[in-house]
Amino acid sequence: MTELAAVKAALKTQAVETPSWAYGNSGTRFKVFAQQGVPRDPREKLDDAAKVHEFTGVAPTVALHIPWDKVGDYAALARHAEDRGLRLGAINSNTFQDDDYRLGSVCHPDAAVRRKAVDHLLECVDIMDATGSKDLKLWFADGTNYPGQDDIRARQDRLAEALAEVYERLGDDQRMLLEYKLFEPAFYATDVPDWGTAYAHCLKLGPKARVVVDTGHHAPGTNIEFIVATLLREEKLGGFDFNSRFYADDDLMVGAADPFQLFRIMYEVVRGGGLSGDVAFMLDQCHNVESKIPAIIRSVMNVQEATAKALLVDRSALDEAQRAGDVLGANAVLMDAFSTDVRPLLRQVREEMGLDPDPMGAYARSGWAGKIVAERVGGEQAGWGA
C-alpha cells in the first residue's frame, strides 16, 4: 500500500462520536437560545445524527446522557439507531443537577447522597447492557469552594470507593472513562481536577478504567499533546471530548479557536497508535448561536482535517532531524504538514466513499433543515435546562 493510500484508508475508517445533547438546546450558563426544529426526544436526536453520518461518513455512533435521554425501552432506542445506520455510543452519567448534589455526589459527606449517586452510575451500566454500549463516561462536579469546607483526603477516599463499586459491575467488554476538569463549579478544590488525579484512580482500578481528555478543561498554556502522549504510552487514554476554548470551558466547535493545537494533539494520537486503537473520539460541544447540525458537521470535518495533516507528517524526515538535533529542521517538518491544504484530499476520500465531497453543501441542499422546522411543532424541545 502506498503512503497516500494508507492515509486515505485511515481517514475512511476514522470514527467521530457525536453527542446527543449537542442536537438539543444547550449553551452557556448565561442563556440558552432555543432554535426551531430542535429534537423533542432522543429518537429525533438520532434522526439528526443520522444526517451528520450520512453526509460525513465517519460519525456512526451517538453518545447518550442520562437522564436527558431517558426512555422506557433502551433496546428499542438502540434499534431506532440501527434503523438509521447508527449505533449508540458512550453512556454519560449526570450527578450534578439534583439539589442533593449541592455538596457533591460520590464525594458528598452524607452516605445517603453518595448511595444515590452510585445507584445512578449502576443504572447507567444497566443501560449499557440494554443498548450494547461499551463505555461509561464519568464527569463529577464534586469539589469545595472554601478551605476547610470538607476533608480533601476523605473526599478522595469516597471517590475511590464509589469508582471501585461501579468498576466491579462492568462487563468484560465494557470500560469506565473518567473525565477531569480544572474547575467549575468547585473553585477551591475540584475532586478530579487534572489528568494525574484521573490517571491515579484509573491505574488503581485496573485495565477497564481509562482517562478522558476534554480539550476545553485545562489551564491556559497547558500542553495537552503531552498529556495525550503520556496517557497513550501508559495505555490509559480512553478517549476525547473534542471542543474549543478561548478562556475556560467554552464548548465551542473543535478546532475553531486553535486548529494548530488540534493538529498537535492528533499527531500524538497518530504517533502513539491511537488512531487504530480503542481511543474514542467524541465531540462535546454546545451550539448556542449557530445552527446545530451544520455545526456538528463542521466539527467532524475539522477533526478530519487535523487528522489528515497529522497523517501527512514525514516521520522519517522528522526522526532524522530529531536524531541530528536539528531543531529548526524538525519543527519545519511538522509545520509543513500543518500548512498543507488537505481539503482536496478529503474531497477525494469522500468521493471514493460514495459521498458528496462537500458535506456542508450537501446538507444545505438536502432540505432536512426545513423539514424538521415544519414537522417538529408542539411538544417540549430537548435541552439541558440552563
Side-chain angles (χ1 to χ4, degrees), residues 104 107 140-144 152 155-156 159 186 189-193 197 201:
C107 300
F140 300 108
D142 293 41
T144 55
I152 293 175
R155 293 180 72 89
Q156 289 296 309
L159 173 62
T190 301
D191 290 317
V192 190
T197 304
H201 281 282

Side-chain angles (χ1 to χ4, degrees), residues 267 271 314-324 333:
Y267 171 71
R271 164 70 178 82
D314 187 336
R315 289 282 298 279
S316 296
L318 183 60
D319 289 345
E320 183 178 349
Q322 290 172 343
R323 287 194 301 270
V333 173

Side-chain angles (χ1 to χ4, degrees), residues 128 134-138 140 159-160 162-168 170-179 195 197-212 231 234-239 278:
M128 293 168 64
K134 302 301 182 186
D135 291 336
L136 171 67
K137 191 145 73 63
L138 307 177
F140 300 108
L159 173 62
L163 292 176
E165 180 176 348
V166 178
Y167 185 88
E168 288 303 314
L170 294 174
D172 292 338
D173 61 345
Q174 294 174 336
R175 305 188 303 173
M176 171 189 293
L177 305 184
L178 182 58
E179 190 176 349
W195 71 275
T197 304
Y199 172 74
H201 281 282
C202 289
L203 189 63
K204 187 172 183 178
L205 287 166
K208 292 186 289 187
R210 297 197 177 188
V211 180
V212 171
L231 290 174
E234 297 296 323
E235 298 184 346
K236 278 296 183 181
L237 179 63
D278 55 0

Side-chain angles (χ1 to χ4, degrees), residues 199-348:
Y199 172 74
H201 281 282
C202 289
L203 189 63
K204 187 172 183 178
L205 287 166
K208 292 186 289 187
R210 297 197 177 188
V211 180
V212 171
V213 175
D214 185 306
T215 52
H217 286 187
H218 302 84
T222 298
N223 188 322
I224 300 176
E225 59 266 31
F226 173 83
I227 299 170
V228 171
T230 301
L231 290 174
L232 276 169
R233 181 175 179 271
E234 297 296 323
E235 298 184 346
K236 278 296 183 181
L237 179 63
F240 289 93
D241 275 2
F242 278 133
N243 54 67
S244 247
R245 49 154 290 177
F246 288 103
Y247 299 103
D249 185 19
D250 301 346
D251 273 348
L252 301 175
M253 292 188 302
V254 60
D258 190 349
F260 185 46
Q261 180 190 70
L262 180 59
F263 160 75
R264 300 193 312 265
I265 290 170
M266 290 310 302
Y267 171 71
E268 292 302 335
V269 170
V270 172
R271 164 70 178 82
L275 199 61
S276 57
D278 55 0
V279 177
F281 300 96
M282 199 192 83
L283 305 179
D284 181 15
Q285 303 172 175
C286 294
H287 304 297
N288 197 25
V289 298
E290 66 270 34
S291 299
K292 300 178 188 304
I293 300 174
I296 297 171
I297 292 174
R298 173 58 66 189
S299 295
V300 173
M301 293 173 67
N302 288 348
V303 174
Q304 287 181 297
E305 290 185 17
T307 304
K309 293 181 178 185
L311 288 165
L312 290 175
V313 171
D314 187 336
R315 289 282 298 279
S316 296
L318 183 60
D319 289 345
E320 183 178 349
Q322 290 172 343
R323 287 194 301 270
D326 184 356
V327 176
L328 294 179
N331 177 249
V333 173
L334 278 183
M335 295 309 298
D336 285 346
F338 176 67
S339 300
T340 302
D341 184 358
V342 296
R343 291 174 297 176
L345 170 62
L346 285 166
R347 284 194 291 267
Q348 189 177 49

